[in-house]
């Protein structure tokens, strides 16, 4: 049996034996690649836990933004969630996290192409240079109240 690139894997004129061999080859290929795919997309053993709460900036709820929960020790993957009307919704592995908040808003100005200009308005001390730490626990509710000045 030989596989020819560009030819369909299954063809109505192929014999049952040929179809069985191609199916078997396809199955073996998927099985062989599964450990690589698991490494690319994370382990199913990395349990995540819900994170909720509220976040305000200068006394007002952040209308729309993102929250990133980075592992302090680097042993778990980072997690990202959304902020809508000041409400946090995310899932993250357990452990101590550095919290990074970002949000953009539309200005009443247009660029050279007539598109509205957006700006990131959360200071770097709350995102790229953040030192806000919280712990995601597998045993407790993870409700974070974040007040950014």
């Amino acid at each position: 049996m030989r596989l020819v690139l560009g030819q369909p894997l299954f063809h109505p004129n192929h014999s049952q034996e040929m179809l069985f061999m191609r199916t078997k080859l396809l199955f073996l290929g998927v099985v062989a690649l599964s450990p690589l795919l698991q490494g690319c997309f994370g382990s199913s053993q990395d349990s995540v836990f819900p994170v909720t709460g509220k976040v305000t900036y200068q006394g007002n709820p952040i209308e729309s933004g993102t929250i990133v929960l980075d592992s302090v020790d680097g042993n778990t993957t980072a997690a990202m969630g959304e902020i809508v009307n000041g409400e946090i919704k995310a899932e993250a592995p357990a452990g101590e996290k550095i919290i990074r908040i970002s949000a953009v808003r539309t200005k009443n100005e247009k660029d050279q192409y007539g598109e509205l200009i957006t700006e990131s308005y959360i200071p770097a001390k709350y995102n790229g240079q953040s030192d806000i730490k919280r712990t995601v626990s597998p045993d407790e509710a993870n409700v974070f109240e974040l007040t950014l000045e």
Side-chain angles (χ1 to χ4, degrees), residues 12-143:
N13 295 332
H14 288 160
S15 69
Q16 288 291 83
E17 183 178 338
M18 179 69 81
L19 289 174
F20 175 75
M21 289 298 292
R22 286 189 174 188
T23 303
K24 186 176 176 182
L25 185 62
L26 180 64
F27 175 76
L28 290 173
V30 169
V31 169
L33 289 176
S34 66
L36 294 174
L37 293 175
Q38 184 176 359
C40 291
F41 297 109
S43 169
S44 61
Q45 297 172 355
D46 288 344
S47 297
V48 293
F49 304 94
V51 175
T52 60
K54 297 181 186 287
V55 60
T56 60
Y57 176 64
Q58 296 181 339
N60 298 309
I62 294 176
E63 287 185 35
S64 177
T66 57
I67 180 170
V68 175
L69 300 103
D70 281 331
S71 173
V72 169
D73 61 12
N75 288 333
T76 59
T77 56
M80 180 184 283
E82 64 180 345
I83 301 167
V84 177
N85 296 323
E87 300 287 329
I88 299 168
K89 184 183 274 187
E91 291 185 338
E96 189 176 15
K97 308 294 179 195
I98 296 174
I99 306 296
R100 303 182 196 284
I101 304 292
S102 61
V104 295
R105 61 182 165 207
T106 304
K107 297 171 71 173
N108 288 330
E109 299 174 37
K110 293 186 177 182
D111 64 13
Q112 63 189 12
Y113 304 106
E115 299 291 324
L116 288 172
I117 297 173
T118 59
E119 66 177 347
S120 178
Y121 64 96
I122 304 296
K125 69 180 183 176
Y126 300 121
N127 49 57
Q129 300 170 3
S130 178
D131 62 358
I132 302 170
K133 294 181 184 173
R134 297 290 189 276
T135 301
V136 174
S137 171
D139 302 320
E140 300 173 16
N142 299 297
V143 180

